[in-house]
Amino acid sequence: MTTEEKFRVERRQIHDIECLELNGFLDAHTAPILENEIGKSLSQSKYKLLMNFRNLDYISSAGLGVFMSFIEEVRDKGGDIKMSSMNDKVFSVFDLLGFPMLFDIHREEEYLIDKFFNPAKE
Amino acid sequence: MSKNKLIFLVTGIIIFLVRLAGDLLLYSLDFIKGSTAVYWHYSTTLLIMLSFSAYYFSIFLEKDKTKKELTGDDFFNSLYQNFVLSLIILLLVIFFSFKDTSALFRRSYVGLILADFFFLYVVIVTLNNFHFTYRWLWYRRHKLTKFYLTLLSFLILILSVNYSVKIFLPNLNKIGVQWLDISSTVLFVLTALITFLTNKKTHWMAELPRSQKSKFFWIMMLNVIIAIKLLMETKSADTMVFAGFERFYPLALQMLSVSFLLYGIYLFRLFMSLLAVIPSSMIVEKKSSEISSLAYLNKIVAEAPNNSKKVLIDQVTNLALQASSAYGAWTEIYESDNVYINTCVNINPENISELEKNYRISEFFKRVSTPVLIESVHEYRDLSKMLSHLTAIKSMIIIPLNSSQMREGTLIVFDSEDFSLEADDLKILTAFGDNVKIALDNSRLVKESIEKERFRNEMILARNMQQKLLPQTLPLIPGYKVSAFSIPATEVGGDYYDLVILKNGKQCILIGDVSGKGISAAFYMAQLKGVVLSEALESESAQELLSKINYVLYGKIESQIFVTMSAITFENESNKLILARAGHMPFLIKRENYVEELIPKGIGIGLAGKSIFDKHIRQTEITLKEHDTVIMFTDGLNEVRNTDGTEFGMKRIIEIVEHNNGLDSEELTKLLKNKVREFAESSDYHDDMTFISITKI
């Protein structure tokens, strides 16, 4: 299995929000693919990033590291990385690490899109 | 042996001198033709022949014993020697057969002395012939040679007896004489036949160079002429100066002819095999030089790792020239964008440099990806233009030299005549190109494996050093039994566990997992240990320790790296523990009949600054009963996968812990380690794993 078969990113544009749909396995081998994709968005000055995890089967610590490496820059530029639609297993990895306290993570994509427009909403 | 040889020689000479003296005495007394003289002549002749035979036989044995490898040159040397000896005897016979010369010496002392010496010479030539034939037959022997040679010697003995009978029974009746003649003829033919049969190994003639073959041809022809002439002369001995020679020196001439028979037939058999191979000998020679050069090439290939590329290609160039019929050759080596002229044979390197400078001829060669034969450069306009001033290059073969990774160079073999290089040359040189590839690859692989070995040794060193960063033995904690294991996925890893003492004297067990694995994780793990040891001295609780570690590390480590940790402190009341967690895997608490997952709140270390981290971390207090166990582990354990890709999983860990009641921490640790190994079916783990169990006793 090549790394491209293991992990794939699809893009969607919702208003000014860049939505990245993650597919497959995100680990040390495939993390560079995601790094590359997020890097592309940032180079186009797109800082509102929504990660949709509904098709992501597995994430390792190296995969988690990708979000950490970008979050500071994104937030400095007034944007954010929000995460939606995780399956239970993937969510538990994020949860154990305490990501829900650092990132907006929600079951519904729409909820987060809404939150991009209306950050004060709790 | 050489002493015996000398004794035989001296004995022979002494007997000869006695014979000479005796002859002269008999002559002066005019007894020389008397019937009693026959016994004198016969016995002395026989004794002389026997002692010299013994001398030659000693030489034969001596040479056989040295076991020296004999070459074609050795054969020719003894052949020349024999040839000269026989030629002299032929000249003497011809000289003496003139009536005038014979009259000069007839019935004189001088004649007698000459005759005696001539006899001695005949004996020497005879024995030389036998010796030569026997020696070479024996050297190239087959399983029947010994038998045949014994038989031959026996036949020669009977023949000599047969001849002797005639001498001692001069008055034999006609039938008797006829019988003797017939039997000697039969014996003669038999001897010839057996000699012919014995010489079976003639294939070595085919391997001789052409020049030696033609030499052999001429010597053989001359020898045959000499042998025939001598046979004729001895059969009609009466016409010679030595009328009565047969009587004076019985057996001498007979043995001479027998020896020439053996010798002649031996050579004739070789000659026959030579005739059979002459037409193909040119091809055979070429093939055998091809094979020997390929064999040498193999040697070069095998030694390639010890030599530089330049030396290898240099050797190959020279060998290629030897294997083909080409006049000259050169090789170019390409390194990055440079072209180096490596070897030039029969061409001036400056000429090649000029070709490169004026025409960039290497570009032309680089485009040649498979071996090419250019029979005549005139057929290619570009090439003939480039080579117009180099008259030595009329036809050429271009062999690209590759390693499996890249084009390394080109071997160019050329000749000064159009159409003189052939498809055969191309074939052999193509084999050269293939072998060079193997040699270059071999030498690269050897270098790589040395490099790899060095790297592996360094990794082993690193592993041993990292092992020392983990507790070698866990200190005793009153009321508890603690055991642990930690297995890195590669030589080194990012898992960490330790037992430290806090500022207030409380003992604290920690487990940590640096994200990622391998060397980078190992560096952070070492750094983590340092931070833990220093911050423990300033902390009073598990939560405070984790918080301080986060404070030190946040922003100091790369943003994508983080550490998950858990810590347990042993409180003063003997059954109370306080648990804190920073993004790490859950604690498992094994109670009497169930296993509980405990996840105190806390973010991973390095993910957030002090305020957020501290805001969210909450330590938890638990009390343990006897035999209750607390388990900590890193995610490498539950994420172990078997060959099907199935995860070991939390559920399985909980099951193992739950179903093995009554095990103490040490037994449980061992059991889990075995279960994981069984499950994974190999020791190639995908992530580092660490496991700690603490049992209340």
Side-chain angles (χ1 to χ4, degrees):
Chain A
M1 205 158 46
T2 65
T3 50
E4 281 76 15
E5 284 166 37
K6 268 173 83 178
F7 179 74
R8 201 153 40 78
V9 176
E10 286 157 22
R11 286 164 181 278
R12 275 181 290 135
Q13 193 76 28
I14 304 164
H15 308 291
D16 61 341
I17 301 164
E18 183 96 330
C19 180
L20 303 185
E21 188 108 25
L22 315 185
N23 293 270
F25 277 67
L26 182 54
D27 59 15
H29 294 112
T30 56
I33 299 175
L34 181 60
E35 249 169 60
N36 206 7
E37 292 293 335
I38 296 179
K40 261 188 224 166
S41 299
L42 301 194
S43 68
Q44 295 164 12
S45 302
K46 291 174 179 164
Y47 297 107
K48 290 181 181 171
L49 304 175
L50 178 62
M51 305 288 145
N52 191 313
F53 284 77
R54 69 183 149 201
N55 292 319
L56 192 80
D57 299 318
Y58 171 84
I59 189 161
S60 79
S61 59
L64 294 163
V66 176
F67 302 111
M68 294 312 302
S69 63
F70 286 109
I71 190 64
E72 209 170 335
E73 183 189 349
V74 169
R75 284 183 183 159
D76 285 350
K77 295 276 159 86
D80 196 14
I81 298 174
K82 298 187 195 294
M83 303 166 178
S84 82
S85 322
M86 291 179 186
N87 69 32
D88 290 348
K89 221 183 119 201
V90 170
F91 179 75
S92 78
V93 174
F94 278 89
D95 191 31
L96 274 174
L97 259 172
F99 266 50
M101 293 150 221
L102 307 168
F103 290 87
D104 282 324
I105 299 177
H106 200 272
R107 217 176 283 282
E108 304 294 333
E109 198 181 270
E110 290 74 20
Y111 175 87
L112 294 172
I113 292 169
D114 228 28
K115 207 166 172 193
F116 265 119
F117 294 120
N118 198 356
K121 183 177 163 185
E122 212 17 75
Chain B
M1 183 56 81
S2 72
K3 200 178 154 196
N4 282 351
K5 198 170 81 180
L6 201 68
I7 289 171
F8 291 134
L9 184 65
V10 170
T11 314
I13 290 168
I14 290 171
I15 299 172
F16 173 73
L17 292 174
V18 169
R19 160 79 192 246
L20 188 63
D23 275 355
L24 290 172
L25 186 68
L26 284 174
Y27 185 72
S28 65
L29 297 174
D30 207 16
F31 266 143
I32 195 106
K33 282 190 172 175
S35 57
T36 43
V38 172
Y39 295 103
W40 165 251
H41 290 146
Y42 185 82
S43 56
T44 46
T45 304
L46 201 63
L47 279 173
I48 290 167
M49 281 165 60
L50 281 176
S51 356
F52 280 101
S53 303
Y55 169 69
Y56 270 96
F57 191 62
S58 313
I59 295 176
F60 173 81
L61 289 179
E62 197 178 78
K63 284 191 174 160
D64 183 45
K65 217 181 172 187
T66 56
K67 300 259 176 251
K68 209 183 106 195
E69 178 97 14
L70 295 174
T71 61
D73 286 341
D74 294 322
F75 176 78
F76 276 95
N77 285 341
S78 30
L79 195 63
Y80 289 146
Q81 195 187 327
N82 262 32
F83 173 66
V84 172
L85 286 172
S86 339
L87 195 64
I88 290 170
I89 214 165
L90 179 72
L91 293 175
L92 284 173
V93 167
I94 291 169
F95 178 71
F96 286 129
S97 59
F98 287 117
K99 281 237 156 59
D100 293 344
T101 42
S102 58
L104 211 60
F105 307 112
R106 203 177 282 260
R107 302 192 198 295
S108 69
Y109 282 108
V110 179
L112 192 62
I113 293 168
L114 271 178
D116 269 344
F117 276 101
F118 181 67
F119 154 71
L120 185 65
Y121 188 67
V122 165
V123 170
I124 289 168
V125 173
T126 306
L127 290 173
N128 236 308
N129 285 344
F130 279 133
H131 180 247
F132 177 89
T133 316
Y134 270 58
R135 181 172 170 223
W136 286 96
L137 281 174
W138 183 246
Y139 180 65
R140 301 189 193 281
R141 58 183 174 267
H142 49 92
K143 63 174 181 177
L144 286 176
T145 303
K146 197 172 181 180
F147 170 72
Y148 280 142
L149 287 183
T150 318
L151 193 61
L152 261 180
S153 312
F154 185 65
L155 283 173
I156 292 164
L157 193 70
I158 298 179
L159 254 175
S160 50
V161 171
N162 188 310
Y163 290 135
S164 309
V165 171
K166 252 191 194 172
I167 297 159
F168 290 101
L169 299 172
N171 304 323
L172 201 68
N173 62 25
K174 213 175 165 190
I175 299 166
V177 173
Q178 260 177 359
W179 267 107
L180 280 180
D181 282 350
I182 290 168
S183 62
S184 74
T185 309
V186 169
L187 284 169
F188 211 70
V189 170
L190 258 178
T191 309
L193 192 71
I194 287 168
T195 314
F196 192 81
L197 288 177
T198 315
N199 190 9
K200 243 167 49 179
K201 284 199 175 173
T202 56
H203 56 82
W204 60 278
M205 290 298 295
E207 293 162 15
L208 291 178
R210 239 177 317 156
S211 59
Q212 285 194 342
K213 277 178 192 149
S214 60
K215 250 188 241 164
F216 177 80
F217 176 80
W218 291 113
I219 291 176
M220 156 72 204
M221 292 305 278
L222 289 168
N223 260 313
V224 167
I225 292 167
I226 292 169
I228 291 170
K229 177 70 185 163
L230 280 176
L231 283 174
M232 276 162 54
E233 290 296 336
T234 51
K235 280 290 160 199
S236 54
D238 284 344
T239 64
M240 282 174 54
V241 60
F242 308 111
F245 190 89
E246 232 180 333
R247 205 152 37 81
F248 266 42
Y249 312 100
L251 293 178
L253 287 179
Q254 281 90 344
M255 284 303 117
L256 182 67
S257 47
V258 172
S259 79
F260 268 107
L261 178 76
L262 251 67
Y263 177 60
I265 294 218
Y266 172 73
L267 293 186
F268 180 66
R269 178 79 196 252
L270 290 184
F271 177 67
M272 273 173 55
S273 70
L274 191 65
L275 281 183
V277 300
I278 276 177
S280 57
S281 73
M282 250 179 84
I283 299 163
V284 169
E285 247 171 65
K286 188 160 184 198
K287 289 286 166 204
S288 81
S289 91
E290 275 177 19
I291 289 167
S292 63
S293 61
L294 276 177
Y296 187 57
L297 183 66
N298 275 338
K299 203 175 140 234
I300 292 174
V301 169
E303 285 170 358
N306 305 327
N307 293 328
S308 73
K309 187 159 72 183
K310 285 185 174 135
V311 171
L312 167 78
I313 290 180
D314 196 50
Q315 288 173 326
V316 168
T317 313
N318 285 307
L319 204 57
L321 206 52
Q322 214 175 301
S324 64
S325 50
Y327 169 70
W330 81 90
T331 32
E332 305 185 340
I333 294 183
Y334 310 132
E335 263 165 23
S336 48
D337 280 337
N338 299 326
V339 177
Y340 299 99
I341 312 299
N342 195 57
T343 313
C344 283
V345 184
N346 288 339
I347 189 158
N348 191 342
E350 279 168 26
N351 288 337
I352 310 293
S353 307
E354 228 159 85
L355 280 180
E356 184 58 33
K357 211 166 75 192
N358 298 339
Y359 304 106
R360 306 276 299 155
I361 199 167
S362 64
E363 294 303 320
F364 173 82
F365 291 139
K366 277 183 193 168
R367 280 200 299 276
V368 176
S369 58
T370 51
V372 169
L373 166 65
I374 293 171
E375 291 185 298
S376 168
V377 291
H378 299 302
E379 290 176 358
Y380 298 83
R381 202 142 42 98
D382 296 351
L383 209 55
S384 66
K385 207 177 103 195
M386 285 191 246
L387 302 171
S388 57
H389 65 289
L390 290 172
T391 47
I393 306 177
K394 285 291 189 309
S395 61
M396 62 200 290
I397 290 176
I398 302 167
I399 305 288
L401 301 175
N402 294 306
S403 65
S404 51
Q405 288 172 326
M406 57 182 274
R407 176 70 175 264
E408 302 271 0
T410 310
L411 164 65
I412 300 104
V413 166
F414 64 88
D415 200 70
S416 50
E417 276 174 46
D418 299 68
F419 300 98
S420 67
L421 293 173
E422 298 172 352
D424 264 0
D425 297 313
L426 179 68
K427 230 176 356 189
I428 179 110
L429 291 179
T430 303
F432 270 63
D434 295 344
N435 276 290
V436 169
K437 184 175 170 188
I438 295 168
L440 291 173
D441 285 351
N442 273 356
S443 101
R444 180 176 52 83
L445 287 174
V446 167
K447 275 176 200 141
E448 272 176 14
S449 76
I450 289 169
E451 192 68 13
K452 231 180 235 170
E453 181 69 23
R454 205 172 58 91
F455 179 70
R456 221 177 67 86
N457 286 340
E458 302 232 322
M459 287 303 278
I460 288 169
L461 202 70
R463 182 183 63 191
N464 292 341
M465 291 191 63
Q466 192 178 39
Q467 285 296 316
K468 294 206 174 92
L469 295 180
L470 299 175
Q472 304 302 300
T473 52
L474 286 167
L476 289 174
I477 297 166
Y480 295 92
K481 209 167 172 184
V482 182
S483 60
F485 70 80
S486 182
I487 304 169
T490 55
E491 265 74 14
V492 291
D495 277 8
Y496 169 65
Y497 73 93
D498 216 342
L499 192 143
V500 293
I501 297 179
L502 302 184
K503 192 179 178 184
N504 49 15
K506 286 181 189 167
Q507 285 177 302
C508 175
I509 287 187
L510 293 127
I511 188 165
D513 180 0
V514 178
S515 67
K517 53 178 177 171
I519 296 177
S520 71
F523 274 113
Y524 286 116
M525 176 269 187
Q527 191 184 1
L528 179 63
K529 165 138 184 160
V531 173
V532 166
L533 290 185
S534 63
E535 293 309 311
L537 298 173
E538 303 299 324
S539 309
E540 296 198 333
S541 70
Q543 182 179 319
E544 194 188 349
L545 178 58
L546 294 182
S547 164
K548 285 203 153 110
I549 294 169
N550 180 65
Y551 178 67
V552 172
L553 290 180
Y554 178 71
K556 309 272 193 322
I557 52 180
E558 279 180 77
S559 56
Q560 78 270 23
I561 301 286
F562 52 85
V563 182
T564 67
M565 287 192 87
S566 288
I568 297 177
T569 50
F570 296 86
E571 298 303 308
N572 296 331
E573 296 102 298
S574 65
N575 55 355
K576 205 170 104 183
L577 301 179
I578 290 180
L579 282 49
R581 191 188 69 93
H584 198 74
M585 294 304 286
F587 294 95
L588 297 181
I589 320 289
K590 181 184 172 284
R591 306 286 185 185
E592 200 178 334
N593 39 26
Y594 66 98
V595 175
E596 179 189 355
E597 267 183 63
L598 207 63
I599 311 179
K601 273 185 76 183
I603 305 171
I605 287 168
L607 294 177
K610 185 171 169 57
S611 59
I612 298 177
F613 185 90
D614 290 356
K615 187 178 142 197
H616 291 286
I617 191 161
R618 293 282 177 279
Q619 60 183 21
T620 310
E621 185 184 303
I622 59 165
T623 37
L624 295 183
K625 291 199 180 110
E626 210 176 310
H627 301 310
D628 285 357
T629 301
V630 180
I631 289 162
M632 295 191 280
F633 58 92
T634 58
D635 59 2
L637 182 71
N638 54 309
E639 287 182 7
V640 165
R641 285 171 193 275
N642 65 8
T643 42
D644 304 333
T646 313
E647 247 185 29
F648 192 64
M650 277 279 274
K651 225 176 124 191
R652 212 179 302 253
I653 299 172
I654 293 172
E655 262 170 30
I656 291 168
V657 174
E658 209 163 39
H659 291 161
N660 288 283
N661 247 334
L663 294 185
D664 70 12
S665 67
E666 200 180 324
E667 289 161 335
L668 185 66
T669 305
K670 209 175 270 174
L671 177 76
L672 212 95
K673 203 171 168 181
N674 288 337
K675 289 272 184 191
V676 169
R677 193 173 294 153
E678 251 170 57
F679 179 81
E681 291 167 15
S682 83
S683 52
D684 288 337
Y685 301 118
H686 142 96
D687 195 5
D688 316 321
M689 61 173 110
T690 302
F691 177 88
I692 304 174
S693 76
I694 304 156
T695 307
K696 172 83 189 127
I697 48 173

